Structures are given as C-alpha cells and as structure tokens.
Amino acid sequence: MMHNRIEHLQSEIPYKNKDIALYAKHVYESLEQFEDQHRKLVAVQAIYGSKPVGEQEILFYETIRYMKEQLITTLENTIDDLKHIGDKNYVKHFRDGVE
C-alpha cells in the first residue's frame, strides 16, 4: 500500500531531510481523512434520501488516489535528487533544487 511506500522512503532519506518525508506522510494522512469524511457525508445524505451520483463518487475517489500517487512520486523524485547532490552528470527532477 502507498502508506508503506512512504515509510520505506522515509528510511531512505538522509537524516537532515527527514522532515520532507514526515510532511508527505502528514499530507497523505490528511487526504485519507478527507476521503473518510466524504464517505461519512455521503452515508448521512443517503440515510436522509439523497442518492449519491455514481459517476461523481468514482471521480472523487479516482482523484484522491491520483493525488496520493503524485505525492509519492514527488517524494521519490525528491529523495532521488537528494541522493545525487553534487553529481554533475545527474539530471535533476527539480531544477530549483531540493535544499
């Protein structure tokens, strides 16, 4: 699962940059909480007779999943750039640097 990927990446990041992985973990957890709040809201609305629109629900959950994947990919790219600081032959993911 993606949460495990963050924890794995956290172990790979240099100690002085651990706050980056922690931030990514907090954002990931925030997205999960947002998803859970949405699920509860839809359930409450369904109890009171408002039928959820299937296409909108699918789009919501796909969007959250894509956001989580992008967060992980950005963290991986950041860690990759951190590991290659000083390597003049390395092509950076982020032109503006990571430090």
PDB file of all heavy atoms in Angstrom, residues 29-62:
ATOM      1  N   GLU A  29      -1.965  11.372   5.055  1.00  0.00           N
ATOM      2  CA  GLU A  29      -2.963  11.089   6.088  1.00  0.00           C
ATOM      3  C   GLU A  29      -4.118  12.083   6.015  1.00  0.00           C
ATOM      4  O   GLU A  29      -5.276  11.713   6.240  1.00  0.00           O
ATOM      5  CB  GLU A  29      -2.311  11.103   7.465  1.00  0.00           C
ATOM      6  CG  GLU A  29      -1.407   9.911   7.688  1.00  0.00           C
ATOM      7  CD  GLU A  29      -0.557  10.001   8.957  1.00  0.00           C
ATOM      8  OE1 GLU A  29      -0.579  11.063   9.634  1.00  0.00           O
ATOM      9  OE2 GLU A  29       0.148   9.024   9.250  1.00  0.00           O
ATOM     10  N   SER A  30      -3.820  13.321   5.678  1.00  0.00           N
ATOM     11  CA  SER A  30      -4.861  14.327   5.516  1.00  0.00           C
ATOM     12  C   SER A  30      -5.803  13.970   4.372  1.00  0.00           C
ATOM     13  O   SER A  30      -7.026  14.120   4.482  1.00  0.00           O
ATOM     14  CB  SER A  30      -4.225  15.694   5.274  1.00  0.00           C
ATOM     15  OG  SER A  30      -5.203  16.671   5.066  1.00  0.00           O
ATOM     16  N   LEU A  31      -5.247  13.478   3.277  1.00  0.00           N
ATOM     17  CA  LEU A  31      -6.081  13.042   2.156  1.00  0.00           C
ATOM     18  C   LEU A  31      -6.955  11.857   2.549  1.00  0.00           C
ATOM     19  O   LEU A  31      -8.119  11.777   2.150  1.00  0.00           O
ATOM     20  CB  LEU A  31      -5.202  12.680   0.950  1.00  0.00           C
ATOM     21  CG  LEU A  31      -4.554  13.849   0.226  1.00  0.00           C
ATOM     22  CD1 LEU A  31      -3.530  13.343  -0.783  1.00  0.00           C
ATOM     23  CD2 LEU A  31      -5.593  14.717  -0.445  1.00  0.00           C
ATOM     24  N   GLU A  32      -6.403  10.951   3.343  1.00  0.00           N
ATOM     25  CA  GLU A  32      -7.196   9.816   3.813  1.00  0.00           C
ATOM     26  C   GLU A  32      -8.334  10.278   4.727  1.00  0.00           C
ATOM     27  O   GLU A  32      -9.449   9.760   4.649  1.00  0.00           O
ATOM     28  CB  GLU A  32      -6.311   8.814   4.544  1.00  0.00           C
ATOM     29  CG  GLU A  32      -5.454   8.001   3.601  1.00  0.00           C
ATOM     30  CD  GLU A  32      -4.702   6.878   4.294  1.00  0.00           C
ATOM     31  OE1 GLU A  32      -4.384   7.013   5.499  1.00  0.00           O
ATOM     32  OE2 GLU A  32      -4.429   5.872   3.625  1.00  0.00           O
ATOM     33  N   GLN A  33      -8.073  11.259   5.577  1.00  0.00           N
ATOM     34  CA  GLN A  33      -9.116  11.793   6.450  1.00  0.00           C
ATOM     35  C   GLN A  33     -10.203  12.494   5.635  1.00  0.00           C
ATOM     36  O   GLN A  33     -11.390  12.343   5.919  1.00  0.00           O
ATOM     37  CB  GLN A  33      -8.520  12.762   7.468  1.00  0.00           C
ATOM     38  CG  GLN A  33      -7.688  12.093   8.526  1.00  0.00           C
ATOM     39  CD  GLN A  33      -6.961  13.099   9.406  1.00  0.00           C
ATOM     40  OE1 GLN A  33      -7.050  14.305   9.210  1.00  0.00           O
ATOM     41  NE2 GLN A  33      -6.212  12.592  10.377  1.00  0.00           N
ATOM     42  N   PHE A  34      -9.781  13.233   4.612  1.00  0.00           N
ATOM     43  CA  PHE A  34     -10.733  13.904   3.735  1.00  0.00           C
ATOM     44  C   PHE A  34     -11.628  12.883   3.036  1.00  0.00           C
ATOM     45  O   PHE A  34     -12.848  13.051   2.931  1.00  0.00           O
ATOM     46  CB  PHE A  34      -9.981  14.759   2.719  1.00  0.00           C
ATOM     47  CG  PHE A  34     -10.862  15.513   1.774  1.00  0.00           C
ATOM     48  CD1 PHE A  34     -11.694  16.524   2.229  1.00  0.00           C
ATOM     49  CD2 PHE A  34     -10.862  15.218   0.426  1.00  0.00           C
ATOM     50  CE1 PHE A  34     -12.509  17.227   1.365  1.00  0.00           C
ATOM     51  CE2 PHE A  34     -11.668  15.907  -0.456  1.00  0.00           C
ATOM     52  CZ  PHE A  34     -12.499  16.917   0.010  1.00  0.00           C
ATOM     53  N   GLU A  35     -11.012  11.806   2.581  1.00  0.00           N
ATOM     54  CA  GLU A  35     -11.745  10.726   1.921  1.00  0.00           C
ATOM     55  C   GLU A  35     -12.752  10.092   2.893  1.00  0.00           C
ATOM     56  O   GLU A  35     -13.896   9.826   2.533  1.00  0.00           O
ATOM     57  CB  GLU A  35     -10.741   9.691   1.424  1.00  0.00           C
ATOM     58  CG  GLU A  35     -11.297   8.611   0.558  1.00  0.00           C
ATOM     59  CD  GLU A  35     -10.198   7.694   0.047  1.00  0.00           C
ATOM     60  OE1 GLU A  35      -9.070   7.696   0.577  1.00  0.00           O
ATOM     61  OE2 GLU A  35     -10.484   6.950  -0.897  1.00  0.00           O
ATOM     62  N   ASP A  36     -12.334   9.871   4.111  1.00  0.00           N
ATOM     63  CA  ASP A  36     -13.209   9.285   5.130  1.00  0.00           C
ATOM     64  C   ASP A  36     -14.375  10.226   5.469  1.00  0.00           C
ATOM     65  O   ASP A  36     -15.516   9.780   5.607  1.00  0.00           O
ATOM     66  CB  ASP A  36     -12.401   8.948   6.384  1.00  0.00           C
ATOM     67  CG  ASP A  36     -13.183   8.122   7.373  1.00  0.00           C
ATOM     68  OD1 ASP A  36     -13.794   7.103   6.959  1.00  0.00           O
ATOM     69  OD2 ASP A  36     -13.212   8.492   8.571  1.00  0.00           O
ATOM     70  N   GLN A  37     -14.096  11.515   5.581  1.00  0.00           N
ATOM     71  CA  GLN A  37     -15.152  12.495   5.850  1.00  0.00           C
ATOM     72  C   GLN A  37     -16.167  12.513   4.708  1.00  0.00           C
ATOM     73  O   GLN A  37     -17.377  12.592   4.947  1.00  0.00           O
ATOM     74  CB  GLN A  37     -14.560  13.887   6.039  1.00  0.00           C
ATOM     75  CG  GLN A  37     -13.792  14.063   7.321  1.00  0.00           C
ATOM     76  CD  GLN A  37     -13.050  15.391   7.370  1.00  0.00           C
ATOM     77  OE1 GLN A  37     -12.977  16.117   6.380  1.00  0.00           O
ATOM     78  NE2 GLN A  37     -12.482  15.701   8.518  1.00  0.00           N
ATOM     79  N   HIS A  38     -15.680  12.421   3.500  1.00  0.00           N
ATOM     80  CA  HIS A  38     -16.575  12.391   2.344  1.00  0.00           C
ATOM     81  C   HIS A  38     -17.461  11.147   2.387  1.00  0.00           C
ATOM     82  O   HIS A  38     -18.666  11.226   2.137  1.00  0.00           O
ATOM     83  CB  HIS A  38     -15.763  12.415   1.041  1.00  0.00           C
ATOM     84  CG  HIS A  38     -16.606  12.276  -0.176  1.00  0.00           C
ATOM     85  ND1 HIS A  38     -17.358  13.306  -0.679  1.00  0.00           N
ATOM     86  CD2 HIS A  38     -16.840  11.207  -0.982  1.00  0.00           C
ATOM     87  CE1 HIS A  38     -18.011  12.889  -1.739  1.00  0.00           C
ATOM     88  NE2 HIS A  38     -17.711  11.615  -1.955  1.00  0.00           N
ATOM     89  N   ARG A  39     -16.850  10.018   2.705  1.00  0.00           N
ATOM     90  CA  ARG A  39     -17.600   8.762   2.787  1.00  0.00           C
ATOM     91  C   ARG A  39     -18.726   8.875   3.829  1.00  0.00           C
ATOM     92  O   ARG A  39     -19.861   8.458   3.584  1.00  0.00           O
ATOM     93  CB  ARG A  39     -16.646   7.624   3.150  1.00  0.00           C
ATOM     94  CG  ARG A  39     -17.237   6.242   3.064  1.00  0.00           C
ATOM     95  CD  ARG A  39     -16.202   5.152   3.352  1.00  0.00           C
ATOM     96  NE  ARG A  39     -15.110   5.163   2.382  1.00  0.00           N
ATOM     97  CZ  ARG A  39     -13.843   5.497   2.647  1.00  0.00           C
ATOM     98  NH1 ARG A  39     -13.489   5.858   3.865  1.00  0.00           N
ATOM     99  NH2 ARG A  39     -12.926   5.465   1.710  1.00  0.00           N
ATOM    100  N   LYS A  40     -18.403   9.468   4.973  1.00  0.00           N
ATOM    101  CA  LYS A  40     -19.413   9.642   6.030  1.00  0.00           C
ATOM    102  C   LYS A  40     -20.515  10.603   5.589  1.00  0.00           C
ATOM    103  O   LYS A  40     -21.696  10.363   5.864  1.00  0.00           O
ATOM    104  CB  LYS A  40     -18.749  10.138   7.306  1.00  0.00           C
ATOM    105  CG  LYS A  40     -17.896   9.087   7.980  1.00  0.00           C
ATOM    106  CD  LYS A  40     -17.167   9.653   9.187  1.00  0.00           C
ATOM    107  CE  LYS A  40     -16.250   8.613   9.808  1.00  0.00           C
ATOM    108  NZ  LYS A  40     -15.474   9.168  10.927  1.00  0.00           N
ATOM    109  N   LEU A  41     -20.133  11.696   4.912  1.00  0.00           N
ATOM    110  CA  LEU A  41     -21.114  12.662   4.432  1.00  0.00           C
ATOM    111  C   LEU A  41     -22.081  12.010   3.449  1.00  0.00           C
ATOM    112  O   LEU A  41     -23.302  12.194   3.544  1.00  0.00           O
ATOM    113  CB  LEU A  41     -20.415  13.853   3.773  1.00  0.00           C
ATOM    114  CG  LEU A  41     -21.325  14.893   3.128  1.00  0.00           C
ATOM    115  CD1 LEU A  41     -22.205  15.568   4.179  1.00  0.00           C
ATOM    116  CD2 LEU A  41     -20.500  15.909   2.368  1.00  0.00           C
ATOM    117  N   VAL A  42     -21.565  11.233   2.532  1.00  0.00           N
ATOM    118  CA  VAL A  42     -22.410  10.551   1.541  1.00  0.00           C
ATOM    119  C   VAL A  42     -23.337   9.558   2.239  1.00  0.00           C
ATOM    120  O   VAL A  42     -24.511   9.448   1.893  1.00  0.00           O
ATOM    121  CB  VAL A  42     -21.546   9.858   0.460  1.00  0.00           C
ATOM    122  CG1 VAL A  42     -22.381   8.950  -0.428  1.00  0.00           C
ATOM    123  CG2 VAL A  42     -20.822  10.904  -0.373  1.00  0.00           C
ATOM    124  N   ALA A  43     -22.824   8.875   3.258  1.00  0.00           N
ATOM    125  CA  ALA A  43     -23.653   7.924   4.005  1.00  0.00           C
ATOM    126  C   ALA A  43     -24.794   8.638   4.730  1.00  0.00           C
ATOM    127  O   ALA A  43     -25.940   8.173   4.705  1.00  0.00           O
ATOM    128  CB  ALA A  43     -22.792   7.147   4.998  1.00  0.00           C
ATOM    129  N   VAL A  44     -24.488   9.758   5.354  1.00  0.00           N
ATOM    130  CA  VAL A  44     -25.526  10.519   6.059  1.00  0.00           C
ATOM    131  C   VAL A  44     -26.561  11.038   5.073  1.00  0.00           C
ATOM    132  O   VAL A  44     -27.771  10.972   5.323  1.00  0.00           O
ATOM    133  CB  VAL A  44     -24.897  11.684   6.868  1.00  0.00           C
ATOM    134  CG1 VAL A  44     -25.952  12.658   7.344  1.00  0.00           C
ATOM    135  CG2 VAL A  44     -24.102  11.142   8.044  1.00  0.00           C
ATOM    136  N   GLN A  45     -26.083  11.545   3.948  1.00  0.00           N
ATOM    137  CA  GLN A  45     -27.017  12.029   2.923  1.00  0.00           C
ATOM    138  C   GLN A  45     -27.898  10.897   2.402  1.00  0.00           C
ATOM    139  O   GLN A  45     -29.090  11.097   2.156  1.00  0.00           O
ATOM    140  CB  GLN A  45     -26.254  12.688   1.774  1.00  0.00           C
ATOM    141  CG  GLN A  45     -25.636  14.010   2.150  1.00  0.00           C
ATOM    142  CD  GLN A  45     -24.753  14.578   1.054  1.00  0.00           C
ATOM    143  OE1 GLN A  45     -24.273  13.850   0.181  1.00  0.00           O
ATOM    144  NE2 GLN A  45     -24.526  15.883   1.100  1.00  0.00           N
ATOM    145  N   ALA A  46     -27.337   9.706   2.262  1.00  0.00           N
ATOM    146  CA  ALA A  46     -28.113   8.554   1.787  1.00  0.00           C
ATOM    147  C   ALA A  46     -29.182   8.172   2.796  1.00  0.00           C
ATOM    148  O   ALA A  46     -30.291   7.792   2.415  1.00  0.00           O
ATOM    149  CB  ALA A  46     -27.183   7.377   1.506  1.00  0.00           C
ATOM    150  N   ILE A  47     -28.853   8.276   4.081  1.00  0.00           N
ATOM    151  CA  ILE A  47     -29.837   7.966   5.127  1.00  0.00           C
ATOM    152  C   ILE A  47     -31.042   8.889   5.005  1.00  0.00           C
ATOM    153  O   ILE A  47     -32.177   8.472   5.215  1.00  0.00           O
ATOM    154  CB  ILE A  47     -29.195   8.076   6.530  1.00  0.00           C
ATOM    155  CG1 ILE A  47     -28.211   6.920   6.731  1.00  0.00           C
ATOM    156  CG2 ILE A  47     -30.252   8.089   7.621  1.00  0.00           C
ATOM    157  CD1 ILE A  47     -27.364   7.047   7.988  1.00  0.00           C
ATOM    158  N   TYR A  48     -30.789  10.142   4.631  1.00  0.00           N
ATOM    159  CA  TYR A  48     -31.864  11.116   4.514  1.00  0.00           C
ATOM    160  C   TYR A  48     -32.455  11.189   3.113  1.00  0.00           C
ATOM    161  O   TYR A  48     -33.180  12.123   2.790  1.00  0.00           O
ATOM    162  CB  TYR A  48     -31.386  12.499   4.981  1.00  0.00           C
ATOM    163  CG  TYR A  48     -31.204  12.538   6.481  1.00  0.00           C
ATOM    164  CD1 TYR A  48     -29.946  12.436   7.049  1.00  0.00           C
ATOM    165  CD2 TYR A  48     -32.306  12.633   7.319  1.00  0.00           C
ATOM    166  CE1 TYR A  48     -29.778  12.453   8.420  1.00  0.00           C
ATOM    167  CE2 TYR A  48     -32.155  12.639   8.691  1.00  0.00           C
ATOM    168  CZ  TYR A  48     -30.889  12.549   9.235  1.00  0.00           C
ATOM    169  OH  TYR A  48     -30.742  12.549  10.593  1.00  0.00           O
ATOM    170  N   GLY A  49     -32.132  10.209   2.281  1.00  0.00           N
ATOM    171  CA  GLY A  49     -32.803  10.069   0.994  1.00  0.00           C
ATOM    172  C   GLY A  49     -32.097  10.648  -0.214  1.00  0.00           C
ATOM    173  O   GLY A  49     -32.604  10.550  -1.325  1.00  0.00           O
ATOM    174  N   SER A  50     -30.951  11.247  -0.043  1.00  0.00           N
ATOM    175  CA  SER A  50     -30.217  11.794  -1.177  1.00  0.00           C
ATOM    176  C   SER A  50     -29.336  10.694  -1.771  1.00  0.00           C
ATOM    177  O   SER A  50     -28.385  10.242  -1.148  1.00  0.00           O
ATOM    178  CB  SER A  50     -29.351  12.972  -0.723  1.00  0.00           C
ATOM    179  OG  SER A  50     -28.592  13.460  -1.794  1.00  0.00           O
ATOM    180  N   LYS A  51     -29.671  10.292  -2.975  1.00  0.00           N
ATOM    181  CA  LYS A  51     -28.928   9.214  -3.624  1.00  0.00           C
ATOM    182  C   LYS A  51     -27.629   9.760  -4.222  1.00  0.00           C
ATOM    183  O   LYS A  51     -27.634  10.742  -4.957  1.00  0.00           O
ATOM    184  CB  LYS A  51     -29.783   8.590  -4.727  1.00  0.00           C
ATOM    185  CG  LYS A  51     -29.152   7.398  -5.381  1.00  0.00           C
ATOM    186  CD  LYS A  51     -30.073   6.787  -6.413  1.00  0.00           C
ATOM    187  CE  LYS A  51     -29.363   5.614  -7.072  1.00  0.00           C
ATOM    188  NZ  LYS A  51     -30.191   5.010  -8.103  1.00  0.00           N
ATOM    189  N   PRO A  52     -26.486   9.128  -3.899  1.00  0.00           N
ATOM    190  CA  PRO A  52     -25.216   9.608  -4.466  1.00  0.00           C
ATOM    191  C   PRO A  52     -25.152   9.347  -5.977  1.00  0.00           C
ATOM    192  O   PRO A  52     -25.714   8.374  -6.478  1.00  0.00           O
ATOM    193  CB  PRO A  52     -24.150   8.792  -3.730  1.00  0.00           C
ATOM    194  CG  PRO A  52     -24.861   7.640  -3.129  1.00  0.00           C
ATOM    195  CD  PRO A  52     -26.303   8.000  -3.003  1.00  0.00           C
ATOM    196  N   VAL A  53     -24.482  10.239  -6.672  1.00  0.00           N
ATOM    197  CA  VAL A  53     -24.295  10.093  -8.119  1.00  0.00           C
ATOM    198  C   VAL A  53     -23.037   9.259  -8.330  1.00  0.00           C
ATOM    199  O   VAL A  53     -21.935   9.663  -7.966  1.00  0.00           O
ATOM    200  CB  VAL A  53     -24.156  11.472  -8.801  1.00  0.00           C
ATOM    201  CG1 VAL A  53     -23.930  11.307 -10.298  1.00  0.00           C
ATOM    202  CG2 VAL A  53     -25.378  12.330  -8.514  1.00  0.00           C
ATOM    203  N   GLY A  54     -23.217   8.072  -8.892  1.00  0.00           N
ATOM    204  CA  GLY A  54     -22.128   7.122  -9.041  1.00  0.00           C
ATOM    205  C   GLY A  54     -20.919   7.659  -9.767  1.00  0.00           C
ATOM    206  O   GLY A  54     -19.785   7.470  -9.331  1.00  0.00           O
ATOM    207  N   GLU A  55     -21.133   8.367 -10.875  1.00  0.00           N
ATOM    208  CA  GLU A  55     -20.012   8.906 -11.649  1.00  0.00           C
ATOM    209  C   GLU A  55     -19.203   9.910 -10.837  1.00  0.00           C
ATOM    210  O   GLU A  55     -17.976   9.952 -10.923  1.00  0.00           O
ATOM    211  CB  GLU A  55     -20.508   9.567 -12.948  1.00  0.00           C
ATOM    212  CG  GLU A  55     -21.117   8.608 -13.939  1.00  0.00           C
ATOM    213  CD  GLU A  55     -22.596   8.336 -13.648  1.00  0.00           C
ATOM    214  OE1 GLU A  55     -23.235   9.114 -12.889  1.00  0.00           O
ATOM    215  OE2 GLU A  55     -23.107   7.330 -14.153  1.00  0.00           O
ATOM    216  N   GLN A  56     -19.906  10.725 -10.051  1.00  0.00           N
ATOM    217  CA  GLN A  56     -19.212  11.722  -9.227  1.00  0.00           C
ATOM    218  C   GLN A  56     -18.400  11.044  -8.116  1.00  0.00           C
ATOM    219  O   GLN A  56     -17.295  11.478  -7.797  1.00  0.00           O
ATOM    220  CB  GLN A  56     -20.204  12.706  -8.624  1.00  0.00           C
ATOM    221  CG  GLN A  56     -20.802  13.641  -9.639  1.00  0.00           C
ATOM    222  CD  GLN A  56     -21.839  14.566  -9.040  1.00  0.00           C
ATOM    223  OE1 GLN A  56     -22.213  14.455  -7.875  1.00  0.00           O
ATOM    224  NE2 GLN A  56     -22.316  15.507  -9.841  1.00  0.00           N
ATOM    225  N   GLU A  57     -18.949  10.000  -7.557  1.00  0.00           N
ATOM    226  CA  GLU A  57     -18.240   9.272  -6.498  1.00  0.00           C
ATOM    227  C   GLU A  57     -16.985   8.603  -7.053  1.00  0.00           C
ATOM    228  O   GLU A  57     -15.923   8.643  -6.449  1.00  0.00           O
ATOM    229  CB  GLU A  57     -19.158   8.235  -5.841  1.00  0.00           C
ATOM    230  CG  GLU A  57     -20.265   8.840  -5.006  1.00  0.00           C
ATOM    231  CD  GLU A  57     -19.729   9.740  -3.919  1.00  0.00           C
ATOM    232  OE1 GLU A  57     -18.929   9.284  -3.080  1.00  0.00           O
ATOM    233  OE2 GLU A  57     -20.114  10.925  -3.902  1.00  0.00           O
ATOM    234  N   ILE A  58     -17.124   7.998  -8.219  1.00  0.00           N
ATOM    235  CA  ILE A  58     -15.965   7.362  -8.858  1.00  0.00           C
ATOM    236  C   ILE A  58     -14.895   8.405  -9.143  1.00  0.00           C
ATOM    237  O   ILE A  58     -13.712   8.190  -8.848  1.00  0.00           O
ATOM    238  CB  ILE A  58     -16.396   6.642 -10.159  1.00  0.00           C
ATOM    239  CG1 ILE A  58     -17.234   5.413  -9.824  1.00  0.00           C
ATOM    240  CG2 ILE A  58     -15.181   6.260 -11.001  1.00  0.00           C
ATOM    241  CD1 ILE A  58     -17.922   4.782 -11.022  1.00  0.00           C
ATOM    242  N   LEU A  59     -15.294   9.537  -9.683  1.00  0.00           N
ATOM    243  CA  LEU A  59     -14.352  10.613  -9.990  1.00  0.00           C
ATOM    244  C   LEU A  59     -13.667  11.121  -8.718  1.00  0.00           C
ATOM    245  O   LEU A  59     -12.452  11.355  -8.712  1.00  0.00           O
ATOM    246  CB  LEU A  59     -15.057  11.760 -10.706  1.00  0.00           C
ATOM    247  CG  LEU A  59     -14.183  12.938 -11.116  1.00  0.00           C
ATOM    248  CD1 LEU A  59     -13.086  12.484 -12.077  1.00  0.00           C
ATOM    249  CD2 LEU A  59     -15.038  14.023 -11.755  1.00  0.00           C
ATOM    250  N   PHE A  60     -14.422  11.271  -7.637  1.00  0.00           N
ATOM    251  CA  PHE A  60     -13.848  11.740  -6.373  1.00  0.00           C
ATOM    252  C   PHE A  60     -12.749  10.783  -5.900  1.00  0.00           C
ATOM    253  O   PHE A  60     -11.632  11.206  -5.598  1.00  0.00           O
ATOM    254  CB  PHE A  60     -14.933  11.863  -5.300  1.00  0.00           C
ATOM    255  CG  PHE A  60     -14.390  12.175  -3.938  1.00  0.00           C
ATOM    256  CD1 PHE A  60     -14.040  13.467  -3.595  1.00  0.00           C
ATOM    257  CD2 PHE A  60     -14.202  11.167  -3.007  1.00  0.00           C
ATOM    258  CE1 PHE A  60     -13.514  13.761  -2.342  1.00  0.00           C
ATOM    259  CE2 PHE A  60     -13.684  11.446  -1.750  1.00  0.00           C
ATOM    260  CZ  PHE A  60     -13.341  12.745  -1.418  1.00  0.00           C
ATOM    261  N   TYR A  61     -13.066   9.503  -5.836  1.00  0.00           N
ATOM    262  CA  TYR A  61     -12.101   8.529  -5.326  1.00  0.00           C
ATOM    263  C   TYR A  61     -10.899   8.353  -6.262  1.00  0.00           C
ATOM    264  O   TYR A  61      -9.777   8.170  -5.795  1.00  0.00           O
ATOM    265  CB  TYR A  61     -12.778   7.186  -5.038  1.00  0.00           C
ATOM    266  CG  TYR A  61     -13.666   7.268  -3.814  1.00  0.00           C
ATOM    267  CD1 TYR A  61     -15.047   7.262  -3.917  1.00  0.00           C
ATOM    268  CD2 TYR A  61     -13.115   7.394  -2.549  1.00  0.00           C
ATOM    269  CE1 TYR A  61     -15.854   7.363  -2.790  1.00  0.00           C
ATOM    270  CE2 TYR A  61     -13.903   7.498  -1.420  1.00  0.00           C
ATOM    271  CZ  TYR A  61     -15.277   7.486  -1.555  1.00  0.00           C
ATOM    272  OH  TYR A  61     -16.063   7.597  -0.431  1.00  0.00           O
ATOM    273  N   GLU A  62     -11.127   8.439  -7.563  1.00  0.00           N
ATOM    274  CA  GLU A  62     -10.003   8.381  -8.503  1.00  0.00           C
ATOM    275  C   GLU A  62      -9.085   9.588  -8.334  1.00  0.00           C
ATOM    276  O   GLU A  62      -7.864   9.458  -8.368  1.00  0.00           O
ATOM    277  CB  GLU A  62     -10.507   8.311  -9.942  1.00  0.00           C
ATOM    278  CG  GLU A  62     -11.031   6.968 -10.348  1.00  0.00           C
ATOM    279  CD  GLU A  62     -11.534   6.941 -11.787  1.00  0.00           C
ATOM    280  OE1 GLU A  62     -11.626   8.022 -12.440  1.00  0.00           O
ATOM    281  OE2 GLU A  62     -11.852   5.849 -12.256  1.00  0.00           O
TER     282      GLU A  62
END
